[in-house]
Amino acid sequence: MPGPAATRWRKLVTARLAEMERLQPGRGALNAGFWDTRAKRFATRLPVSSVAGDPLYRRLRQATGRRSTVLDVGAGTGRFTVALAPRVAAVTAVDPSAGMLDVCRRQAAKLGLSNINVVHAKWEDAEVEPADVAFSSYVVTLVPDAARFLAKLDAAATQRAFLYLGAYTADAIMDPLWRHFHGTSRKPGPTYLDAVDVLRELGMKPHVDVVEVATRGRFKSVADAAKDYRDQLCLPDTPEMRKELRGLLQHWLIRRGDALAAPLKTVPAAVISWKPSARSRH
């Protein structure tokens, strides 16, 4: 029987996904096909080089060494996987999107990395060997059954587990745009505090570091930005909508160097870590 924290998490995620489906029928936010079509964009938006100053990456480096094995759950295009691979014994990258994993493979091949094992599966269905360090970055907030997801992540780690997610609500930044198009605020999603509650409910003892990370969106043009924000705002892809969105973004985005970006330069995030429960009982 799920506890109150897991039940609350499920209700929040389910309501949010239902809202997305209502606004964009057939979108399937948990469907691998949705992410397949966006793999190239994600690789451009979040290149491997962008992890150098990332707070999670620094902690993963501290927790691993040359002989360490690592498990990246929801690896996407391999931003962390490819960056860590030259510094550890092996990395297993799990993701349900074939398109995302194809990008990961190509990046690994380009760098001559042979110690990356790619597993094409949802985490809940994946069959993998335990690793010294297991982590998941910005994935669990789209998963209704957080308790199952996190319990499996805990069981897959032998030394340390990490969870990375926003320590703020991105909706607060996007709310003026969301209200403009939809007339009301968005259904709230779970926060890092909800994740901490679920972990505690599962018997873990999480440690939380609230850190600052650079905002991710960098765009060459307003038109490029509109493609990304159309997804975030769950808008139909019509010429009229694209024109209206470009008009708003033209005044909302700011220029940083040779790119356009959201108004905030950095946002808070949470690095949640814990000693795997099976280990802590010994």
Side-chain angles (χ1 to χ4, degrees), residues 79-119:
R79 178 171 176 250
F80 287 106
T81 288
V82 175
L84 286 167
R87 298 167 174 83
V88 299
V91 185
T92 297
V94 180
D95 201 275
S97 167
M100 292 281 190
L101 291 177
D102 283 345
V103 175
C104 180
R105 289 189 187 94
R106 289 198 297 270
Q107 293 189 105
K110 185 177 180 180
L111 295 172
L113 300 172
S114 58
N115 62 339
I116 294 175
N117 176 38
V118 168
V119 177

Side-chain angles (χ1 to χ4, degrees), residues 5 193-208:
L193 296 174
D194 294 303
V196 169
D197 285 345
V198 174
L199 286 167
R200 287 174 176 164
E201 205 165 70
L202 291 169
M204 286 72 145
K205 298 179 180 178
H207 173 79
V208 181

Side-chain angles (χ1 to χ4, degrees), residues 46 48-61 79-80 137-138 164 211-214 216 269 271:
L46 294 171
V48 173
S49 59
S50 68
V51 304
D54 190 282
L56 175 63
Y57 180 67
R58 290 199 297 267
R59 285 158 178 78
L60 291 171
R61 288 291 309 277
R79 178 171 176 250
F80 287 106
S137 172
Y138 286 88
Y164 199 27
V211 297
E212 287 290 318
V213 296
R216 296 179 174 187
V271 179

Side-chain angles (χ1 to χ4, degrees), residues 144-159:
D145 194 350
R148 181 186 175 196
F149 184 100
L150 294 173
K152 186 170 182 177
L153 186 69
D154 174 78
T158 62
Q159 296 179 8

Side-chain angles (χ1 to χ4, degrees), residues 15-55:
R16 192 173 175 90
L17 292 177
E19 179 181 59
M20 294 163 69
E21 180 65 21
R22 176 177 61 81
L23 294 170
Q24 288 186 321
R27 169 173 175 161
L30 297 180
N31 188 301
F34 174 83
W35 303 108
D36 288 346
T37 60
R38 288 151 179 82
K40 184 177 180 180
R41 189 194 311 171
F42 268 67
T44 301
R45 186 182 179 194
L46 294 171
V48 173
S49 59
S50 68
V51 304
D54 190 282

